Amino acid sequence: MHPHSLQPPHVSVVVIGYNDAAHIAHAVRSALAQGPTVGEVVAVDDCSTDGSHDVLTRLAADEPRLRVIRRERNSGGCGSPRNDGIAAATCPYVMFLDSDDVLPPGAADALLASAREERAEVVSGLCVRRELPSGREVRWQEALYSAGAVLDRPEQQPRLVYDTLCVNKLYRTDFLREHAIRFPEGRFPYEDIVFTARVLAAAPRMALIPDRVYQWHVRRSAERLSISLDRADVANWQARTEANRQAYEILLGAGQKKLARAVRAKFLDHELRMYVRELALRDAQYRRGWWTHTRSHLAGYDAADWSADPVAPGRLLARVIMASPEPRDLSRLRELAARPARLCPPYARAADGTPVWSDDLPQVTLEPYPARPAHRLPLAVDAALRPRPRATLLWLRLHEMYGQVAAAGPRTLKVEWRHRESGHAAGRATVPLVRAADGAWSARTVVDLSALGAGTWDLRLRVTFADGSGADVTAHARAGAGLLRRSVVPSLRFGVLLAQPYATHSGALAVRVATGLSGVTSVLRGRLRRLLP
């Protein structure tokens, strides 16, 4: 038992929910299961119509620590019910939990122990995103939580602005009240971004702990997508830029200039890249609206926002957008927005020889590139996978970039296929790079699809240079000439395979594999269901 479990209860857990009767009981039970450290669970029902309130009422009948608050009108967002929870909390510390997520065992104990030992007003721990139903897990802002840390002032760690979640943190209740820190009211998408800025602007003493304290469930197949996943309308992007604009103004107004700059850098490196990767999925009207709004938002940036690293992927994306009044080069921008970034050809030069984005956009220079070592460049590798009965071949092609790749002397490509859900690696090979007549480098290798097995597999590469340095890259999926089509392949192990090479949202090569007759039949049956009315 954790020693602080023997202390009087200190934590109020605010659970909010709207029309989530299927999950809210699980969330509440995970909070109650934290033990005596949690003095109360305040469940705020945002005027649900699906029976959520009845579920909570039944739970409260048997659990004295559970208090249920029902709003008379639906607020349309997450901020108002959380504010109700802050107002209702009676314990010295408060934390937040969404109705479709859970608190891992020991989360409240770990956060409270750090708050008391470090005299911290805010304690933050590791959040893990779990994709459902696959169970794939991704650690949210893992670098922040690789080890414990105590910060007298948030500006000591500007990377804090990247962790905009409110749910992986414990707050001293009086700290929130003394500084009147609340969420935006009503329907305000991305309310966490503004709330986090208000917390950081108040300059709390903070502790960061490596413990897993929150499990965030991501249900992409849900009938009603969460706000962060429902990005098909340009209004979502407008809401996101507005939240970031407010965060910047809040921190700047509080004299937190370093954190305010970090908010803008985060917007370019994270939000802008994420939405650019999806532009190819949208229609022309969305693209025009998105482009116009993005240019308007970026017009508020000043010279200091651009100067840190003008060819960092996010800043380069923004400079191309600002230099053109209409959407352009969307496929190339998508590749640059990938992680790792890929700068695909053409590699143009201005009349004076300066590297530029393109011949017709010479004002967007790439001048720092010729001075950088090859392993620090956004290297571009093309890839094509051809499933064949006897041998499935993978062709790879590394592009030259302003003479820097040749100067570094590329030697090999390390090939690895990584399972999308489990993260399991397979199909490893190291192949030599051979200089082609046109100045690029090529390689090829055999891929054993049977050894990969069923699932979606992402291609990962590492380029190694003559001096031993290397760069991790992903590969641009070549299209055309039937390269991205399904193929039925005989297999000694499974009898038959169905292989589908395809380009991801960021343009990278991946392959879906179905094994055996049942797997192939299932895929084809699903295809027919989508095609037939």
Side-chain angles (χ1 to χ4, degrees):
M1 179 178 292
H2 195 283
H4 289 283
S5 298
L6 303 176
Q7 301 294 330
H10 281 276
V11 179
S12 298
V13 179
V14 175
V15 182
I16 65 166
Y18 170 65
N19 282 357
D20 198 16
H23 305 115
I24 196 166
H26 193 41
V28 168
R29 290 191 182 104
S30 77
L32 294 170
Q34 299 296 307
T37 293
V38 171
E40 64 179 358
V41 175
V42 181
V44 184
D45 173 42
D46 201 3
C47 198
S48 297
T49 59
D50 72 337
S52 294
H53 184 256
D54 293 337
V55 171
L56 292 172
T57 302
R58 287 194 296 270
L59 284 173
D62 298 322
E63 177 49 71
R65 288 184 297 161
L66 175 59
R67 289 196 288 139
V68 181
I69 299 173
R70 178 172 170 83
R71 292 180 57 84
E72 293 183 1
R73 291 190 183 91
N74 177 253
S75 69
C78 298
S80 296
R82 287 197 188 122
N83 289 339
D84 291 346
I86 295 172
T90 62
C91 293
Y93 294 91
V94 64
M95 58 192 300
F96 303 104
L97 172 61
D98 289 348
S99 62
D100 54 349
D101 301 331
V102 295
L103 297 180
D109 277 343
L111 290 166
L112 180 61
S114 182
R116 297 177 61 180
E117 291 166 7
E118 305 298 347
R119 295 176 292 107
E121 292 166 306
V122 179
V123 183
S124 186
L126 179 66
C127 169
V128 176
R129 285 172 49 120
R130 175 174 288 180
E131 301 269 354
L132 296 175
S134 70
R136 175 175 177 257
E137 292 189 346
V138 178
R139 293 168 175 253
W140 173 258
Q141 298 300 325
E142 184 176 14
L144 275 175
Y145 303 106
S146 59
V150 179
L151 307 172
D152 289 325
R153 301 176 309 280
E155 66 179 9
Q156 293 175 291
Q157 177 51 274
R159 186 82 187 180
L160 286 172
V161 302
Y162 279 74
D163 183 6
T164 54
L165 299 180
C166 73
V167 290
N168 61 331
K169 299 174 179 67
L170 179 79
Y171 307 88
R172 188 169 65 81
T173 309
D174 284 345
F175 164 75
L176 296 181
R177 292 172 177 167
E178 289 162 6
H179 294 276
I181 297 172
R182 296 295 185 272
F183 293 87
E185 289 282 349
R187 179 164 178 77
F188 190 102
Y190 303 108
E191 76 292 333
D192 275 14
I193 294 176
V194 174
F195 179 81
T196 299
R198 290 172 177 169
V199 170
L200 297 178
R205 179 176 170 87
M206 295 185 66
L208 309 181
I209 63 175
D211 306 65
R212 181 185 294 212
V213 301
Y214 198 84
Q215 188 165 296
W216 174 9
H217 290 154
V218 179
R219 295 175 172 89
R220 298 184 186 275
S221 59
E223 290 184 10
R224 180 167 57 92
L225 291 174
S226 68
I227 290 174
S228 61
L229 293 179
D230 189 8
R231 298 193 288 265
D233 193 293
V234 75
N236 179 279
W237 177 238
Q238 293 166 343
R240 193 142 194 167
T241 55
E242 173 61 18
N244 276 274
R245 185 196 67 78
Q246 289 194 28
Y248 173 81
E249 295 293 342
I250 289 166
L251 289 164
L252 194 65
Q256 304 277 7
K257 293 182 180 180
K258 184 182 291 187
L259 292 177
R261 292 289 181 201
V263 165
R264 285 186 165 177
K266 186 264 297 184
F267 177 82
L268 297 176
D269 180 59
H270 176 62
E271 277 97 343
L272 186 64
R273 293 176 74 173
M274 176 168 55
Y275 281 73
V276 166
R277 289 196 295 269
E278 298 176 352
L279 273 181
L281 305 175
R282 312 304 182 198
D283 59 26
Q285 181 179 357
Y286 175 99
R287 293 172 187 170
R288 284 193 297 270
W290 185 94
W291 198 272
T292 299
H293 180 76
T294 303
R295 283 166 53 83
S296 175
H297 178 73
L298 294 175
Y301 281 38
D302 57 34
D305 296 315
W306 303 106
S307 61
D309 186 354
V311 292
R315 285 186 173 86
L316 183 51
L317 289 170
R319 289 168 58 214
V320 172
I321 293 168
M322 289 298 292
S324 178
E326 296 292 333
R328 58 168 291 156
D329 300 339
L330 296 184
S331 60
R332 195 174 181 217
L333 291 175
R334 178 186 67 172
E335 304 281 338
L336 183 63
R339 293 187 184 277
R342 300 183 296 271
L343 180 63
C344 293
Y347 302 120
R349 291 183 183 270
D352 63 357
T354 302
V356 295
W357 176 259
S358 63
D359 292 334
D360 63 336
L361 219 59
Q363 65 269 43
V364 181
T365 66
L366 308 179
E367 196 167 3
Y369 281 161
R372 292 190 173 181
H375 69 271
R376 291 188 56 218
L377 295 174
L379 299 172
V381 177
D382 293 337
L385 185 70
R386 288 187 178 274
R388 291 289 185 268
R390 292 188 178 180
T392 293
L393 290 178
L394 174 67
W395 277 273
L396 300 161
R397 177 181 173 84
L398 170 66
H399 290 278
E400 175 59 275
M401 191 180 297
Y402 298 116
Q404 292 303 95
V405 178
R411 292 292 186 264
T412 61
L413 269 177
K414 184 179 291 184
V415 178
E416 178 181 277
W417 294 92
R418 194 169 300 167
H419 195 274
R420 177 78 55 82
E421 305 300 340
S422 69
H424 170 69
R428 291 189 177 99
T430 300
V431 293
L433 285 162
V434 179
R435 191 73 183 265
D438 61 359
W441 288 261
S442 63
R444 70 175 188 172
T445 185
V446 173
V447 179
D448 186 349
L449 296 176
S450 294
L452 296 186
T456 300
W457 296 85
D458 294 303
L459 178 62
R460 296 288 186 267
L461 304 169
R462 182 171 179 81
V463 184
T464 302
F465 298 98
D467 64 356
S469 64
D472 294 320
V473 298
T474 53
H476 162 72
R478 288 184 57 198
L483 291 175
L484 301 180
R485 68 181 181 189
R486 287 186 179 92
S487 299
V488 177
V489 181
S491 167
L492 290 176
R493 179 180 178 186
F494 297 105
V496 66
L497 299 172
L498 185 64
Q500 168 73 74
Y502 75 101
T504 67
H505 287 176
S506 66
L509 180 66
V511 61
R512 298 185 184 97
V513 180
T515 58
L517 186 59
S518 61
V520 172
T521 302
S522 176
V523 171
L524 296 178
R525 187 180 294 121
R527 175 68 172 167
L528 283 173
R529 278 198 300 266
R530 289 190 293 271
L531 290 175
L532 296 175

